[in-house]
Structures are given as C-alpha cells and as structure tokens.
Amino acid sequence: MWFIGMLAGFVVGALLGEIPGALAGAVLGWILALVFFPKKAGPAAVAGGERLAQVEGRLARIEARLAALEVVQAGGKASRASVVPPEAAVAPTPAATERVVAAERTQIPAAPEVPSTRKEPAPAAVANPARAPVAMPEPRPNPLIAWLTGGNTIARVGAVILFVGVSFLVKYAADHRLLPIELRLAAVAGAAIAMLFFGWRMRESRRGYALTLQGVGVGIFYLTIFAAFRLYHLLPAGTAMAILVVTAALAAYLAVRQDAMALAVIGTVGGFLAPVLASTHSGNHVLLFSYYAVLNAAILAMAVRKSWRPLNLTGFVFTAGIGFLWGSCGITRWSGCAYHDGIFASTESFLVLFFLMYVTIAVLGARRDLAARARFMDATLVFGVPLVAFGFQAAMLDDSRFALAGSAVALSALYLALARGIHARDLGKSRVLVESFLALGMVFATLAIPLALEARWTSAAWALEGLGIVWAGARQGRWLARAFGLALQLLAGLVFLDVLSRGGLGEVPVLNGAFIGAFLLAIAGLASCRILGRMEGGTTQLDRLAVPAGFLWGLAWWLAGGAREIDRFLDEPRFAAAAAFLAGTALVSSTLRRRFAWPQASWPSWGLAPALGAVAAAAVVHDSSVLAHFGWAAWPFAFWAHLRVLRHDEPEITQRWLQALHVAGFLLLAAIGSWELHWLSRSHGLSASAWSVSAAMVWPALCLAAVTSARASARWPVQAFASAYLALAGAIVTAALWAWTFYANATHDGGSAPLPYLPVLNAIDLGHLLALAAGAGWWLALRRESIPVPIDRRSAIVATAGAAFFWLNAILLRTIHHWAGVAYRLDELMRSVLVQAALSLFWTAIALVLMFAATKRGWRAVWMTGALLLAIVVGKLLLVDLSHLSGIERIVSFIGVGLLMLLLGYLAPVPPKGEAK
C-alpha cells in the first residue's frame, strides 16, 4: 500500500506543482499510506505467538506445583484439608493458554481432600507464585511510522500537511502578489515563532504534541528566511546567513536539550525542502549550497552529542539527492540547472566540505559507545559517502582521468590516515571502523591504477566497493549488506563488458584498462568467496551459493583477462603463452589452497589438464607447431605444474576424478608429441612419405614403453596410480597404435625417401616393430603389477593376429609395388596376376605354419584358422585366378591344383582334439 500511496501522491503533486509538487506529493502519499494501512502480522507470526503462549502457560503450572509441594513439606505433613489444584492457581492467560489449561484439566484430576489435624497455613502461603506468560515480542517498527502513530497521530499528520501547505502558500502569494511581501513573510515567521513558543511551553505536559509543533515551526522558519533572502531579496546575504545559522543552532539545541530525535529530523527535513518548494528556477548554486552547509553543520553539531542515525541518514540522502537533481540538466530544470566547467572550483569546494562533514559524522557515530560499537557501525555512511562523493567527482571530471586518479589517491591517503589515527587513539576498540577505513583506503589506492591507465572508473569502483560491503556485512552479520555487495559486483561485471565492447582501453600490454579492470573484478570475486567461506555462523542460502559462484566468477575474469592480453599482443607464441599462463594460475591457486586452507582454490588444478588440451587442440586446428616460439619451455613447465598440483591437491580431489586427471595428462603428452613429430616431418617436405605417417606413432609408443617400465612402476605417479596409467591410459594408447596399423598400411606405400625401399627396413615397418614392442611391454607390465587386464585374452589374441596378418600382407604388396612396378592402389593390385599369385602362395604358407604350430601346441582354434585360410586360397584359385584361362591351360591348372592339394593333404597335420586353448 505504501507504493500505491507514493505513486498517487506523486501524480497529484505533479499535476499541481510540477517537480516540487510531485516530490512533496510522493512523500505525503507515502506517509498517509503507512499510517492508514499498516502492515499486519502474518499467519506465521500469529502461530509463533500462540506456541510461545502455550510454553509459558505450561511453565507457569510447573512452577505452581513446585511451590505447593514446598508449602506441604514446610508444614510437616503431606495431608491437608484441601489442596488448591495447580490449575486454579494459574492466572488467566491468552486464548491459546486457556485452551491448553482446559485440555489439561480434563486429563489431570485435582488432588483429593485429606483430613488434617494441623492448622492450615495462611492462604498467602499457597498463593499463586506463577509468573504471567511473557508476551510475544513485537517487531521494532519503522522510526517514521513509530513517530506518526505514536502519541497524537492526527496532530503529526496535520503538521506534515501544514508544512507543505504553507510552502505552497508562500509560493502562491509570491506568484500572485496578494499582500505586501514584508507582511506576508512577517506573518509566516510569526506563526513559526508562535509554534515554537507553544511547543516549548507544552514540552512537559504533552511531549509528543509539543515536539511536533517545534519541528514544524523550525521548518517553516527555515522556509521563511530562505524565501526572504533568495526569492524577494529582502535580506542581505550576511544577515540571512546569520539568521539561518542561529535557526540551525536553535533547532539543534532544542533537539539535544529535549533528547528528541523526531524534532531534529522534522526540522532538518523542513530545512532541506524549503529551497525545493520555494524555488523560482533561477537560483545561485553558491547560495543554495551555503544554505545546505549550514543545515549539515547543525547535523554535525548534534552528532557530537547524540548518535541519531536516522538524522544523519536524512541529511546525507537530502544532500546527495538535491545535489544530483541540481547537476542533472537532462533530468530536471529545477533551480536553474546546473553544473558546467565554469563553476568547478566553487562546486568542488562544497563537495569536499559535505564529504568531510559526513565522514566526521560517521566517525562520531561509530566511536560514541566504543563497547557497543566494536561490532556495529553505520555502514551506509561509512561506505556510501565515498561512493556518492566519488561518483560526483567523476561526473565533474569526465574528460580528465588523471585528475580523477589524483582524487582517488587523495581519498586513499585520507582513509588510511583516519584508520591509523583512530587505531592509535582507541587502541583497537574501534576495530571494525578502523578495518573499514583501511579497506576503503586500499580500494581507492587500487582504483587509482586503472583510472590512470585508461580503465573506466565505474566497474572498478563498483567491484571493489562491493567487496568492501561484503566484508563489512560479514563482519557485522548483515546478510542484506552482503547481498548488496554481491549484486554490485555483478553489475560491475556487466558494465565492464559494455566498456570492452566499445574498445579503446589502451595499447600497452598488461598495463591497460582492459586487463586491470578484469583483474580487479577477479580480485573482488575471489576475495568475496574467501570472506563468505570463512564465516562460521549466520550464513544464508545465498551466502552458501555465493562461495563457489564467487570463486568461479573471479577465476573467469582472471582467465578472460589473461586470454585477451595474449590474443591482442602475442601472435606466434600465443599457444605457448596460454599454456604457461594456465599452468601458472594452477600453481598459484594450489599454493593458496595449502597456505590458507581454501578448498575452492584447488579447482584450477582439476581443470588444468582439460584446459591444456583445449590449447593444444587450438594449435592443431591452426596447423601450428606446439613447441615452436618458446613452446619447448612452456609445455614442459605446464606438464610439471600439472603433476605438481595433482600431488599437492590430492586430499581435495576425489579419487576417481584424480585418476581421470592423471590419465588425461598422460594422453595429452602422447598426443602433443605425436602431433609435433608429424608436423616436423611435413614441414621438412616429407608429408607424402612414410616418415610422416610413422612419426605420428613414435612418441606415443615411447611414452607407453616408458610408463610400463619397471623403473617407472616404482616411482610416483605410476606407483600411486598404477591402474590409471597402466590399465586405462596404456589401453587407450595401445588401441591407438593398433588402429594406426590399419591406417598406415592402407594409405602409404612405405616409400622412405631418400632411402631406398627395403622390406621391414623402412619407416612404416620399423614403426610396426616399435608398436609391437610397446604393446608387448604393456601386456607384461599388467601381468607384473597384477593389474586386471582391461580386455580378455581371446579378444587380445584375435586383435593382435588380425593386425599382424594385415601388416604381413601389406609388406608383400608394398614389395611388389616397389620392385615390380605395380601401383599401390587397390584396383591396380587386384587386377595384377603377379599380386594374386603371390597372395595365394603367401596365404598358403601362413596356413601351413599355423596348422603345424597348432598341431604341436594342441591349439584347435588356430588349426581351424589355418585350414580356413587354406580353403580360401583353394577357392580363390578355382574361382578367380583360373577364370580367365581356357582350353589346355585350364586343364593343366586344375591338374596342378589337384596335385598340390594331394601333397598338402599328405604333409598337413591332423587337427588336434579338444577345445582351443
């Protein structure tokens, strides 16, 4: 309802009096809505009150029973003529308590009457000692609502309406010249003095009504003096200023003397609204701000004696708000509008004056009661004053970044000096205030760097200010302050993204606005994560979500800033620089985790291997060498950092994820070496030769041989993660080498220029021998370490035999290609009679070898494989090789095949009995 009242008042006031009327109408509508439509307690509060009443009723009955037992024991006997039931001794309670009492009366019978020979004790001895139930504590009301609804509400609402009405009367009379101006102003001033007089006389009998009259009188007197001086020029500047000073001093004296904060607030609000309501759109800013300086001086004087936070906030909000309206030409035309470079000196003087006043007020309020203020302070003034003042300063110095940087340095020096002085004087009693000023000093000192180096002040100031507010909210246990600080950092990030989209943030590496801005956003997010993560109690769901989110937010800005610098200023070595940057980030983060027990700082260690894989993939996509341009130093450093952070952060990483990271690092090392050797062979003009395809498998085979060696198995990390390196990573590399066998034999003819081709002694065949040795070493290492084999024995034999058969046939075909001149293409090879004859003889020889070996070893499955291969050869001869012959040639061929089969049948061994082993 308050929002509806404020909106209605704003619309009505705007129709009647433009901007001043709209402001006054909004305030009046808000007040009336709060008075006539107060908030009601919700069902949860009612239910909580009933539960508390029930507990209090039960406690009262227990105390009554204990008191009755004590009286009986003091009498010497347990019997009495009559015993007052405990329920009857309980005083009436609220409705909820009565229901509980009635229910218990039906369950607990009264004590029976027992004859007694002793005299009863006095009735007062068994009087009800139970205390009345404690009422549900009411929530503390809003100070403005408490003032309006406490005491004479009608009089206080009428006072607000009267002040607004008198303001409009003065303006109306001035516009229409109804009476001589001297008479009009004298009448209004006389009415104000009369209200002060009667309010002072009634201060003892009717305090609330008296304070209302005094407050309205002070506000109307402010309005009158200001109108006489500024609108009608009836008072010289010196006289008017003197009267205003006296009026402010009188209002402060009356408020302090009567300990009446409401009087001070009413008088202050009236004083601030007087220029707004009586404005003629042609004001002098020096006179306006001089008048407000007097009002703020009165607030400062009262702050010396009283710690009235609403009064301080009222003055601060009105000063900042009216200053904003005065300076915003595009928003309002009020009071002559507004700031320009020609009045910088005078405006800057008032800005500095108001800033120093409210810094002093914040210090006075925080140090008034050192014992109580050791934990609490007015965070709104402590952090809000520099934020608003620096915003005004930035608006006035829009085209002078270095001047704004100087202002940040000056603010930093001021707050650091204040922190040192207060700490030295109070000996640590004002610890929170000292730490807040110290944080502000560091914030502005840090802010001066991006301002001087082309960064925009908005995002940097908001991010660091948000960090300060999160810190203060954590220290004081205020969740709303922490939420505001986090929201401010999010807003700062969005603003900074807009700044980045426009460009023009400097051309100096690292020392430019883009990187420093991202760095400050990262620091704010990471520090907020650390602050919220160290809170021991009083955390909310938002705080718990903000801990991981804040770390990821800060880490993302850090990585994005670094990646942008590498992309802008490093062309050829960008991949090596990216790898070193990621590795360095993981190392620093791991160090922070160990030193400060910061669990989230181990997360970069988890993502280092995938991030390095992304960098390597980008290098491959760009067809770039990984080790070129200092990559030979960056990548070894990156892999060393990968293993180091994994070893140091083992307690923070789950075992399953830790094994996956070790496997990922090993596979990345094998892949990078494979690509680098392949790239080097192509860069030296060997892309069409066997050297290029063989180079891709040399490094993975060497890595597999190294990790499966006995020496590696006895050292970390293979010893600690044997199953990860041998069973999983080894199996993946072995499978890759197996797939390479088919690819290399199907696509390359084995030419190893400038060397002549020799069977087996060429690049591809030597690569097969290396892959075979690495695979055998991997299999033996699994057996040696007693690690379960990831593939069953039969499947491994079949896969190995298939690859070996394919390789042997490829050797034969490559030899025919190089020595007989048959093109190494499938269609040409299949049409060659020489190739077909050679394959038939070769397969027959293989079949015989398999059958003889199987007979000796008793391998029935192997014998059947050889027999099947022999049958394929015979079928091939009959159906394919002899199909193109005719006449006597075909007859001779069939006879020759028959004789060959008879000979093979005589020589071939019999199949072994039993199942294959």
Side-chain angles (χ1 to χ4, degrees), residues 52 136 281 320 402 438 461 528 634 689 766 808 843 870 888-889 909:
L52 182 60
M136 181 70 177
H281 307 286
F402 289 100
L438 182 62
S528 298
S689 68
L766 291 175
L808 293 175
W843 289 4
L870 187 60
I888 191 64
E889 295 177 348

Side-chain angles (χ1 to χ4, degrees), residues 10 63 89 136 195 212 282 322 401 474 590 667 669 892:
F10 180 85
E63 291 180 350
M136 181 70 177
M195 296 178 73
T212 302
S282 59
I322 293 174
R401 281 193 316 273
S590 177
L667 295 179
L669 176 63
V892 173

